[in-house]
């Protein structure tokens, strides 16, 4: 370090600012910079009313002055505001680049994201933004000495002046612009989720709910479950493929103009064309789709403390296993035998961050060979089309669409490159499904064989400026809430389970279904009877001979 660097650091160390000045500077930084996404949104919703654009900055500035003044006290000022600046810089990057909203669901998804998945978001762009907008201001704040107006009484008086002035500004704005903000706010309730740092409040809610709430007693469900014997008395072998980030819009079976299903197109899959998800992120959708709760009534804590449909199949005597390639089961497999893919044992299909989903198939022959003659369900949790590193989800020899976006900062790729790389990942999932069906056919002399595929949520690829997933459900686009659901079985399965395949194909083409149907439909398709099954939600019920 040279002499000039030492001098600059000494200057910063000796530099002091009054606490109220510091509050005004921080409030301005948050209002003018970190909340630019919500201001732009309000500006667009106001039909580009220019005065309202500038008034919105002033309104946020006054609000932040009030909030920050209440937090600005000796000994804790830097402890509070340095982490706030750092985390808000990250939130601003995500909001500005991908239109991410940090509501409770998004915070839940962040906390439950595995480290390998998190690494995929680190790139030159994100690191540069964080350093310039977060780290450097935080270091500056660390070096500056904060003064507090002398006596406690004077400090409180000056704080009161600042608070009253800010309240007066808000009152004046309300007098002249209340109708404008009321109209925009009532019709767009999601806007409050865009305010930075809303992530702090939702992080508090998540920690409180998950670590400080009283534990809920565990509920056993479906202990009366029994399997209805197939006509040929063969046991059932089903593979349930849990998809990741696949959206219905990019599925050839569902009308997409590209053939993203070239590997299974002649295998007789039944594709449900109108399927709605329980959530827009894995942390919500995965446990929800296996639970007996419908989306409006879903409660994660309850789901984690009761049996799900896989547990009920186990109660019926089915050997259920979970094999994971997506970094976690979100407690769906809490009572099951679970296998996590070991990257070191599969170096030809894995890198240091993730594995291609084909690696899951290596587990199947060994698991099928266990307990011969027993009913089985093997759940494969894919990494599927998880972004932003879509290019890491398929091997290069499975590239069908070019040019593909082969970088994690997808905002620097063209829309067509993003669609191409995403479609490649969808097509690779189709390849994995085709290989799974081919393997199942090898066992059809011993078992009635079948496959389910259902994705947890969809993905935005730049439509209306949105990328990735996790948008609050109330405003989430169809691309994030509509997903593919496939069923496949050999002819013997339909015959011996008394299922009408043509009836199911008709329902798949016309009926509007959702994750709510999975719990009951899986039981019905497998042939399990229990009081927990609701025939009105079992898609197969009306298709039984």
């Amino acid at each position: 370090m040279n002499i000039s660097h030492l001098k600059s650091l000494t200057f910063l160390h000796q530099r002091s600012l009054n606490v109220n000045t510091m509050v005004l500077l921080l409030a301005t930084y948050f209002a003018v910079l970190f909340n630019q996404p919500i201001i732009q949104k309000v500006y667009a919703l106001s039909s580009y009313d220019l005065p309202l654009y500038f008034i919105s900055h002033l309104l946020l500035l006054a609000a932040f002055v009030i909030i920050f003044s209440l937090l600005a006290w000796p000994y804790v000022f830097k402890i509070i505001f340095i982490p706030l600046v750092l985390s808000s810089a990250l939130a601003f990057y995500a909001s500005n680049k991908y239109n991410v909203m940090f509501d409770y669901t998004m915070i839940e998804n962040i906390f439950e994201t595995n480290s390998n998945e998190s690494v995929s978001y680190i790139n030159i762009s994100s690191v540069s933004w964080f350093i310039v907008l977060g780290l450097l201001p935080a270091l500056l704040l660390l070096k500056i000495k904060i003064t507090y107006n002398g006596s406690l009484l004077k400090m409180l008086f000056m704080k009161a002046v600042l608070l009253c002035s800010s309240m007066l500004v808000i009152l004046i704005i309300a007098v002249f612009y209340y109708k404008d903000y009321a109209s925009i706010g009532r019709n767009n309730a999601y806007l409050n989720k865009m305010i930075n740092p809303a992530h702090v409040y939702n992080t508090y809610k998540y920690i409180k709910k998950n670590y400080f709430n009283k534990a809920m007693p565990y509920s056993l469900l479906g202990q009366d479950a029994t399997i209805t014997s197939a006509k040929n008395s063969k046991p059932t072998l089903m593979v349930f493929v849990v998809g990741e980030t696949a959206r219905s819009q990019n599925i050839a079976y569902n009308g997409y103009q590209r053939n993203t299903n070239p590997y299974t197109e002649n295998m007789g899959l039944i594709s449900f064309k109108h399927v709605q998800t329980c959530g827009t992120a894995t942390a919500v959708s995965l446990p929800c789709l296996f639970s007996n709760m419908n989306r409006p009534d879903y409660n994660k804590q309850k789901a984690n403390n009761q049996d799900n449909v896989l547990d009920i199949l186990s109660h019926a005597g089915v050997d259920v296993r979970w094999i994971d390639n997506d970094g976690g089961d979100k407690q769906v497999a809490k009572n099951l035998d679970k296998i996590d893919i070991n990257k070191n044992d599969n170096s030809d299909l894995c890198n240091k961050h993730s594995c291609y989903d084909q690696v899951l198939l290596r587990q199947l022959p060994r698991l099928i060979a266990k307990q011969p003659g027993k009913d089985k369900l093997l759940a494969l949790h894919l990494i599927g089309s998880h972004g932003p590193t879509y290019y890491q989800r398929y091997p290069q020899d499975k590239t069908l669409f070019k040019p593909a976006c082969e970088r994690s900062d997808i905002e620097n790729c063209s829309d067509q490159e993003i669609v191409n790389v995403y479609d490649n990942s969808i097509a690779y999932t189709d390849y994995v499904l085709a290989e799974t069906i081919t393997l199942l056919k090898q066992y059809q002399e011993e078992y009635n064989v079948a496959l389910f595929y259902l994705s947890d949520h969809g993905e935005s690829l730049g439509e209306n400026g949105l990328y990735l997933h996790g948008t609050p459900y109330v405003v989430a686009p169809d691309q994030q809430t509509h997903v593919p659901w496939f069923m496949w079985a050999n002819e013997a399965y339909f015959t011996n389970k008394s299922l009408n395949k043509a009836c199911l194909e008709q329902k798949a083409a016309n009926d509007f279904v959702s994750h709510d149907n999975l719990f009951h439909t899986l039981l019905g398709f497998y042939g399990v009877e229990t009081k927990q099954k609701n025939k009105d939600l079992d898609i197969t019920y009306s298709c039984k001979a």
Side-chain angles (χ1 to χ4, degrees):
M1 183 178 289
N2 58 37
I3 294 174
S4 63
H5 287 155
L6 288 171
K7 286 182 177 179
S8 63
L9 288 176
T10 303
F11 168 76
L12 286 174
H13 184 70
Q14 294 175 345
R15 181 71 173 170
S16 64
L17 284 175
N18 180 270
V19 64
N20 292 332
T21 302
M22 201 68 233
V23 164
L24 283 168
L25 288 173
L26 284 167
T28 302
Y29 194 54
F30 273 76
V32 174
L33 180 66
F34 282 166
N35 280 279
Q36 202 52 224
I38 187 174
I39 287 174
Q40 292 291 344
K41 189 68 176 178
V42 170
Y43 182 47
L45 291 170
S46 68
S47 300
Y48 301 99
D49 184 334
L50 192 59
L52 199 69
Y53 173 77
F54 292 107
I55 290 296
S56 296
H57 285 90
L58 185 59
L59 180 62
L60 279 175
L61 173 61
F64 279 126
V65 167
I66 293 172
I67 296 169
F68 290 175
S69 293
L70 296 174
L71 298 173
W73 299 99
Y75 306 112
V76 298
F77 188 98
K78 293 184 180 181
I79 294 173
I80 291 172
F81 285 101
I82 288 175
L84 189 64
V85 169
L86 292 172
S87 62
S88 297
L90 292 172
F92 175 54
Y93 175 80
S95 299
N96 191 65
K97 293 294 184 179
Y98 306 125
N99 276 336
V100 170
M101 297 184 200
F102 287 89
D103 65 340
Y104 180 86
T105 300
M106 179 56 70
I107 295 299
E108 182 179 51
N109 206 39
I110 290 170
F111 268 88
E112 299 184 13
T113 295
N114 65 79
S115 57
N116 287 331
E117 187 178 316
S118 301
V119 169
S120 66
Y121 294 92
I122 299 175
N123 50 62
I124 294 175
S125 179
S126 61
V127 171
S128 300
W129 276 60
F130 175 68
I131 290 173
V132 174
L133 302 179
L135 188 57
L136 292 179
L139 288 173
L140 187 62
L141 181 56
L142 180 65
K143 289 292 182 181
I144 291 175
K145 181 180 179 181
I146 310 295
T147 60
Y148 291 92
N149 303 305
S151 68
L152 176 63
L153 188 62
K154 186 177 180 181
M155 181 180 71
L156 292 174
F157 174 76
M158 295 304 295
K159 192 181 289 285
V161 170
L162 195 59
L163 287 168
C164 291
S165 301
S166 300
M167 290 177 185
L168 181 62
V169 169
I170 292 174
L171 180 62
I172 293 172
I173 292 173
V175 169
F176 292 99
Y177 288 93
Y178 175 78
K179 283 186 178 181
D180 300 87
Y181 285 111
S183 175
I184 293 171
R186 285 182 187 135
N187 296 321
N188 304 277
Y190 64 89
L191 287 173
N192 64 326
K193 298 174 182 179
M194 294 181 67
I195 297 174
N196 191 354
H199 62 278
V200 174
Y201 172 67
N202 287 310
T203 299
Y204 162 76
K205 280 176 61 179
Y206 177 86
I207 292 172
K208 181 176 181 291
K209 182 176 181 179
N210 287 274
Y211 298 103
F212 293 98
N213 277 358
K214 185 178 179 181
M216 181 181 290
Y218 194 89
S219 298
L220 295 170
L221 303 178
Q223 291 187 295
D224 63 329
T226 57
I227 299 176
T228 303
S229 297
K231 292 177 181 177
N232 60 3
S233 299
K234 288 182 182 180
T236 297
L237 170 59
M238 176 184 284
V239 174
F240 191 117
V241 182
V242 184
E244 172 65 55
T245 321
R247 66 187 205 177
S248 182
Q249 179 177 318
N250 290 57
I251 301 298
Y253 291 122
N254 296 346
Y256 190 43
Q257 69 274 17
R258 278 180 164 175
N259 187 6
T260 50
N261 301 103
Y263 303 101
T264 63
E265 61 182 342
N266 297 314
M267 286 185 159
L269 264 68
I270 300 173
S271 177
F272 285 78
K273 293 179 171 54
H274 313 289
V275 185
Q276 192 165 354
T277 66
C278 188
T280 61
T282 305
V284 174
S285 284
L286 192 60
C288 182
L289 76 89
F290 285 99
S291 80
N292 66 347
M293 289 175 275
N294 295 338
R295 191 186 72 79
D297 306 317
Y298 175 68
N299 179 286
K300 182 183 176 182
Q301 186 181 16
K302 184 177 179 181
N304 290 341
N305 287 281
Q306 69 177 24
D307 287 340
N308 58 44
V309 67
L310 300 181
D311 297 316
I312 293 175
L313 286 164
S314 294
H315 297 330
V318 179
D319 179 23
V320 183
R321 309 291 178 107
W322 181 278
I323 309 100
D324 205 294
N325 189 38
D326 196 28
D329 61 286
K330 312 302 181 189
Q331 296 198 48
V332 170
K334 55 187 175 292
N335 301 319
L336 306 175
D337 287 334
K338 185 174 68 169
I339 300 168
D340 291 311
I341 294 299
N342 188 323
K343 291 189 282 290
N344 296 326
D345 294 340
N346 299 277
S347 57
D348 58 322
L349 290 175
C350 303
N351 56 43
K352 63 181 179 180
H353 300 307
S354 62
C355 298
Y356 302 130
D357 285 322
Q358 190 179 354
V359 73
L360 291 162
L361 305 186
R362 291 178 174 176
Q363 302 291 327
L364 297 187
R366 178 179 61 83
L367 295 174
I368 294 171
K370 287 187 175 183
Q371 303 185 62
K374 188 176 178 64
D375 293 294
K376 295 178 173 66
L377 185 142
L378 306 175
L380 309 183
H381 188 197
L382 306 185
I383 196 169
S385 300
H386 201 293
T389 51
Y390 307 111
Y391 68 97
Q392 293 181 0
R393 306 298 169 237
Y394 58 92
Q396 285 300 304
D397 64 354
K398 292 296 184 291
T399 301
L400 299 182
F401 308 105
K402 297 179 181 180
C405 178
E406 297 187 349
R407 54 196 300 173
S408 60
D409 52 341
I410 58 175
E411 70 276 8
N412 292 315
C413 293
S414 69
D415 289 346
Q416 190 58 58
E417 287 172 332
I418 296 171
V419 171
N420 287 347
V421 72
Y422 181 82
D423 284 349
N424 285 333
S425 70
I426 293 291
Y428 179 66
T429 293
D430 190 66
Y431 170 77
V432 173
L433 293 179
E435 291 293 294
T436 306
I437 291 171
T438 299
L439 186 147
L440 283 171
K441 288 180 177 179
Q442 297 174 17
Y443 294 90
Q444 59 188 352
E445 294 300 318
E446 307 159 55
Y447 294 90
N448 294 308
V449 295
L451 175 142
F452 264 32
Y453 168 86
L454 178 58
S455 183
D456 59 351
H457 56 77
E459 185 87 328
S460 287
L461 300 176
E463 299 88 1
N464 300 314
L466 279 175
Y467 293 89
L468 305 177
H469 54 267
T471 302
Y473 204 93
V474 67
V475 293
D478 287 348
Q479 289 87 357
Q480 293 187 36
T481 61
H482 287 78
V483 294
W485 184 353
F486 304 145
M487 294 180 186
W488 174 89
N490 64 351
E491 291 300 324
Y493 191 99
F494 289 105
T495 300
N496 289 287
K497 295 281 188 176
S498 299
L499 287 168
N500 187 323
K501 184 178 180 182
C503 173
L504 282 173
E505 289 173 335
Q506 186 176 9
K507 283 181 168 293
N510 301 311
D511 287 9
F512 287 79
V513 298
S514 72
H515 279 176
D516 296 349
N517 296 97
L518 185 275
F519 179 98
H520 312 277
T521 301
L522 180 56
L523 294 173
F525 194 88
Y526 203 99
V528 172
E529 293 300 326
T530 171
K531 292 178 182 177
Q532 293 295 325
K533 185 173 69 173
N534 182 344
K535 66 180 182 180
D536 294 330
L537 292 173
D538 175 9
I539 298 170
T540 71
Y541 182 78
S542 60
C543 292
K544 291 186 177 179

